[in-house]
Amino acid sequence: MASPAPLIAPRDGIGAALAKLLGTDLIEHVFTVGEDSITVRREAVAGVMIALRDNLEYQSLMEIAGVDYPDRAERFEVVYHLLSVTKNHRLRVRVCTDEATPVPSIVPVWPVAGWLEREVFDMYGVLFAGNPDLRRILTDYGFQGHPQRKDFPLTGYIELRYSEEDKRVVYEPVKLAQDFRNFDFLSPWEGADYVLPGDEKAGGTGEAPGKGAPTPMTAAEVKKADDKAKAPPPPTPKTTEKPADTGAGAKTNLKAAKTSRDGAKAKPATKAAKTPATAKAEKAPAKPRAPRKPKTGGDA
């Protein structure tokens, strides 16, 4: 089967090399979508990692992930992702366990596994025997449960978050609507067959578009409001065509045309008188200024 992602260069003879190296510790080897995956015995995982590192040149541990299969007797899989830098090849190693059976830690093989095993323990509850500091790493102190288990409930727990309003860390109960767990895989342009929050404003509840959300108003009140919205706009108010027209009648127009007492006493402003020197300077033509002679001596 061809892989839709960029392919990893295959490693010739890896299947036979794994079977010869691991022996009875190898349970299964699967090659699919261009990738090699092996399942090994849980008790032998630390020795398998040393053999893969020293004999098959898988020098780097890239990731440790958890997978939950609630229907299985050993419901959890711990998946190790290894990288061979010299061979340019990746290998996936799996082990199975349950809630009570610990998996041997590979911290002595790769110290970075300490953080990765803590994450799997926090999210899935998988125990790692020999981890020097097996504590929660993502959830809060005193948190109960493991969030990435398939049977973990969405409500009933306390979550920790930072509040921008209070400027401090707050604890509050987790409340996630179960409606958001139901998904349909139809084309988004066809739309879903259920009403999403807010769709009632666009006719999602059977009302005509633009009617708004359901209202406690009676049918008569709704009809009255619609009739009022459809009523013609009021006439444009009359405006005066001349400044003398006040719109209050002829008597008011006559009074408005008369000059007030303050206006009758006011006199137009006169220009300020000029002094004889100023008048003479304005009449005399401007004389051209003679060029300035250079000074003799000194630096040029």
Side-chain angles (χ1 to χ4, degrees), residues 27-41:
I27 298 176
E28 184 183 19
H29 173 221
V30 177
F31 179 79
T32 180
V33 293
E35 299 179 359
D36 289 282
S37 300
I38 61 174
T39 303
V40 301
R41 291 193 309 113

Side-chain angles (χ1 to χ4, degrees), residues 15 46 58 89 91 114 135 148 192 203 235 294:
Y58 288 96
H89 189 262
L91 180 66
R135 295 178 297 159
Q148 288 192 353

Side-chain angles (χ1 to χ4, degrees), residues 68 119-125 136 138-140 143-154 157 181:
D68 184 14
E119 182 177 352
V120 176
F121 163 71
D122 194 1
M123 295 291 103
Y124 294 92
R136 291 185 180 270
L138 298 178
T139 56
D140 187 29
F143 186 88
Q144 298 180 358
H146 303 281
Q148 288 192 353
R149 288 188 178 183
K150 297 292 181 62
D151 54 1
F152 183 77
L154 295 181
Y157 286 89
R181 295 176 64 93

Side-chain angles (χ1 to χ4, degrees), residues 11-276:
R11 187 172 178 180
D12 296 333
I14 186 62
L18 289 170
K20 180 179 179 180
L21 178 65
L22 303 181
T24 57
D25 292 336
L26 178 63
I27 298 176
E28 184 183 19
H29 173 221
V30 177
F31 179 79
T32 180
V33 293
E35 299 179 359
D36 289 282
S37 300
I38 61 174
T39 303
V40 301
R41 291 193 309 113
R42 177 179 59 251
E43 299 81 3
V45 63
V48 168
M49 293 300 177
I50 295 175
L52 294 175
R53 182 193 64 183
D54 298 342
N55 296 280
L56 294 182
E57 301 181 38
Y58 288 96
Q59 301 94 348
S60 299
L61 172 66
M62 305 303 296
E63 180 63 276
I64 302 178
V67 187
D68 184 14
Y69 298 97
D71 298 334
R72 297 182 182 177
E74 294 183 335
R75 60 182 293 183
F76 300 116
E77 276 191 359
V78 181
V79 186
Y80 304 85
H81 297 266
L82 306 183
L83 170 65
S84 173
V85 179
T86 54
K87 300 298 182 179
N88 189 25
H89 189 262
R90 296 178 183 269
L91 180 66
R92 185 182 298 110
V93 182
R94 305 173 186 266
V95 297
C96 299
T97 187
D98 54 21
E99 296 94 333
T101 307
V103 177
S105 176
I106 61 170
V107 172
V109 185
W110 285 292
V112 69
W115 293 83
L116 303 176
E117 289 175 354
R118 286 178 61 181
E119 182 177 352
V120 176
F121 163 71
D122 194 1
M123 295 291 103
Y124 294 92
V126 177
L127 301 175
F128 291 90
N131 187 294
D133 188 18
L134 193 62
R135 295 178 297 159
R136 291 185 180 270
I137 192 173
L138 298 178
T139 56
D140 187 29
Y141 298 107
F143 186 88
Q144 298 180 358
H146 303 281
Q148 288 192 353
R149 288 188 178 183
K150 297 292 181 62
D151 54 1
F152 183 77
L154 295 181
T155 58
Y157 286 89
I158 302 297
E159 70 174 349
L160 169 75
R161 68 177 183 87
Y162 180 78
S163 174
E164 287 290 346
E165 298 179 357
D166 301 333
K167 300 299 180 184
R168 64 181 181 87
V169 174
V170 297
Y171 293 83
E172 57 188 11
V174 179
K175 294 181 179 178
L176 299 176
Q178 297 289 336
D179 297 344
F180 295 103
R181 295 176 64 93
N182 300 326
F183 301 97
D184 58 47
F185 299 95
L186 299 176
S187 171
W189 289 273
E190 297 176 3
D193 57 354
Y194 52 85
V195 180
L196 295 174
D199 281 358
E200 64 273 4
K201 298 182 180 180
T205 57
E207 299 181 0
K211 285 283 187 178
T215 172
M217 298 171 61
T218 62
E221 292 173 341
V222 173
K223 185 177 184 304
K224 184 178 180 181
D226 291 344
D227 294 341
K228 185 178 180 180
K230 296 177 182 178
T236 305
K238 184 178 181 300
T239 57
T240 57
E241 298 177 357
K242 294 183 295 182
D245 296 339
T246 62
K251 293 182 178 181
T252 307
N253 292 342
L254 293 176
K255 292 181 180 181
K258 293 182 179 180
T259 306
S260 63
R261 294 181 180 180
D262 295 337
K265 294 179 180 179
K267 296 181 180 179
T270 57
K271 296 182 179 180
K274 297 180 181 180
T275 61

